[in-house]
Amino acid sequence: MPIQLIKDTVNIDFVGYRKIAYALTSLLIILSAIAIIMNKGLNYGVDFAGGVMVQIEFKNEVSDEEVKGALKDIEMPGLIVQKIGEDNHHYLLRFSASESGHRNLRQELNKALQESFEGNEVEISRLEMVGPKVGSELRDMAVEAVFYSILLITVYISGRFEHNWFTAAGIAILLWGVIFVLDFLSTHFGITLFNKMYAICFALVVTLVLAWKVKLNYSLGVLLSLVHDVFITIGLLTLFGKEIDLNVIAALLTLVGYSLNDTIVIYDRIRENIANVAKQGTRPTIGKVINMSANQTLSRTLMTSITTLAACLSLYLLGGSVINDFALTMLIGIIVGSYSSIFVASPILMAFGDIDLYLNQQKKDEDFEKPGAHGVV
């Protein structure tokens, strides 16, 4: 017998709760912004900030002060000793690159630790070195990856739901061209008009404004929900004192795809219900259609989120320190993404259009015949 998490008769007034959802969303955004401001920006890991990261493991317990004392004679500027886990066996060392370049760092560390902790076996399980220039380039590339993924999603959503392939593609090409020109001037001529981060944030704002101006409401809803998910997830990670490294960026890109898939399921059901409305000749409000669609897909949304959360929780608890930040980012992002699909992406359709707008789009949709609709592929 299949498990039925949500009854077929469920009828939650999601649209009626939208003001409460807006207040919660505003609170999370403000909290995330305060966390980033109080931290004086994002807490970049060695991957992006440059420097050295070393993970060491002791057989017997030692204190962080003992670890610092053992390494006092080694040139490690800005050394931070961080305990991993609840015991005192695993530590993470982070420090800036020194003038010597740390050519024999592993040997120096092994010698100093073995002399200071004689009889206590110690192992260097991880050692990473990244120069500041390489770290800066990796940071810019990571931001570009997130931005371009969102830009391509805009084109896909506009084409699939609004059949505005050319308009959306034109916006994407224009914004890509602006970023490309800025990058070209900086790389080949040393002319830096804008910081890459600021330029991409500005381009993202322009994308949102253009989507609103040309009535790409489905794309606007997806874009705002994705920006919402990424910003709040990064803000909460900063609040928890986590570093932003390549693992976190990989998790964020995964979340963009996950949240998009969740939103598309609801949008598809909204479009199907609008088509049924058109066939029946009735004219309910767009809010009623959104409620109907969200309730019809609620069981699928919860089941998908719960099973994915269970997998990520297992990774977080049992996966070890290397994958810990990835799993935590996924845990936060899945909860925020599932919430935004219902309470951010869907109500935007209501805020920027009425049933007449979507009925007209539905008529356009009927002009696009699906492959195989008449038995010929």
Side-chain angles (χ1 to χ4, degrees):
M1 182 177 179
I3 298 175
Q4 188 176 21
L5 189 65
I6 302 293
K7 293 182 178 179
D8 295 333
T9 56
V10 67
N11 187 24
I12 301 173
D13 185 12
F14 292 108
V15 170
Y17 294 131
R18 70 185 185 280
K19 291 183 179 179
I20 298 175
Y22 292 161
L24 178 59
T25 296
S26 300
L27 178 63
L28 288 173
I29 290 174
I30 291 171
L31 184 63
S32 299
I34 290 174
I36 293 172
I37 292 171
M38 293 294 290
N39 194 60
K40 297 180 181 179
L42 299 180
N43 187 22
Y44 292 114
V46 172
D47 294 335
F48 298 144
V52 183
M53 181 167 60
V54 184
Q55 184 173 335
I56 54 178
E57 301 178 11
F58 293 93
K59 183 178 181 180
N60 303 317
E61 291 189 355
V62 297
S63 68
D64 53 352
E65 292 300 325
E66 288 177 314
V67 175
K68 287 181 181 179
L71 303 174
K72 64 180 186 299
D73 295 329
I74 301 177
E75 186 183 0
M76 304 170 75
L79 174 64
I80 297 175
V81 178
Q82 179 182 351
K83 183 175 69 173
I84 301 175
E86 297 299 325
D87 57 22
N88 292 331
H89 293 272
H90 300 78
Y91 286 91
L92 193 66
L93 313 178
R94 292 177 55 242
F95 51 95
S96 304
S98 68
E99 295 179 359
S100 62
H102 302 296
R103 294 179 182 177
N104 301 310
L105 179 61
R106 182 180 289 272
Q107 291 83 349
E108 292 179 7
L109 285 173
N110 270 324
K111 181 180 178 181
L113 292 171
Q114 287 173 3
E115 289 178 354
S116 299
F117 301 101
E118 190 174 351
N120 187 1
E121 292 183 16
V122 59
E123 178 186 357
I124 299 176
S125 58
R126 182 182 177 191
L127 193 153
E128 297 179 7
M129 298 184 188
V130 179
K133 188 175 186 302
V134 174
S136 177
E137 291 175 354
L138 284 173
R139 184 171 66 244
D140 289 345
M141 290 169 65
V143 173
E144 284 186 62
V146 176
F147 172 70
Y148 289 137
S149 65
I150 292 177
L151 206 59
L152 291 174
I153 285 168
T154 305
V155 178
Y156 169 72
I157 295 297
S158 298
R160 175 168 179 174
F161 289 94
E162 293 149 332
H163 298 294
N164 278 324
W165 291 100
F166 292 111
T167 302
I171 294 173
I173 292 171
L174 174 64
L175 294 172
W176 171 81
V178 171
I179 299 299
F180 177 80
V181 169
L182 291 174
D183 191 41
F184 182 82
L185 291 175
S186 175
T187 303
H188 293 82
F189 298 98
I191 302 174
T192 304
L193 300 176
F194 298 99
N195 180 282
K196 178 66 72 66
M197 185 81 71
Y198 295 147
I200 288 177
C201 289
F202 176 74
L204 188 57
V205 171
V206 171
T207 305
L208 293 170
V209 172
L210 291 176
W212 170 61
K213 283 291 186 181
V214 297
K215 297 291 184 182
L216 301 179
N217 289 351
Y218 286 100
S219 297
L220 185 62
V222 168
L223 279 172
L224 285 175
S225 66
L226 292 180
V227 172
H228 165 276
D229 298 345
V230 171
F231 183 76
I232 289 179
T233 302
I234 290 177
L236 292 179
L237 288 174
T238 304
L239 184 66
F240 298 152
K242 297 296 183 179
E243 296 179 345
I244 307 300
D245 56 15
L246 289 174
N247 284 334
V248 171
I249 295 299
L252 289 176
L253 288 171
T254 305
L255 288 173
V256 166
Y258 179 89
S259 181
L260 172 66
N261 179 63
D262 214 17
T263 303
I264 284 178
V265 169
I266 298 177
Y267 275 6
D268 262 333
R269 188 55 59 89
I270 290 173
R271 187 172 58 170
E272 290 172 8
N273 287 329
I274 290 174
N276 293 333
V277 165
K279 291 176 182 177
Q280 295 170 4
T282 57
R283 298 181 67 81
T285 62
I286 184 63
K288 185 175 181 181
V289 174
I290 291 172
N291 269 341
M292 185 192 311
S293 305
N295 280 290
Q296 289 172 350
T297 57
L298 185 60
S299 179
R300 181 265 176 201
T301 299
L302 288 179
M303 287 297 290
T304 304
S305 298
I306 290 171
T307 52
T308 312
L309 277 172
C312 292
L313 186 60
S314 300
L315 282 175
Y316 181 74
L317 297 175
L318 306 173
S321 59
V322 174
I323 204 170
N324 186 269
D325 289 348
F326 177 91
L328 178 62
T329 306
M330 290 293 295
L331 282 171
I332 296 172
I334 288 169
I335 296 171
V336 175
S338 300
Y339 161 84
S340 70
S341 296
I342 296 175
F343 289 108
V344 177
S346 298
I348 284 171
L349 299 181
M350 180 180 175
F352 294 101
D354 54 19
I355 193 66
D356 292 328
L357 173 66
Y358 302 108
L359 282 172
N360 290 333
Q361 288 181 347
Q362 193 65 42
K363 290 177 182 177
K364 291 181 182 179
D365 191 42
E366 293 173 358
D367 296 334
F368 288 80
E369 182 178 309
K370 295 181 179 179
H374 297 289
V376 178
V377 179

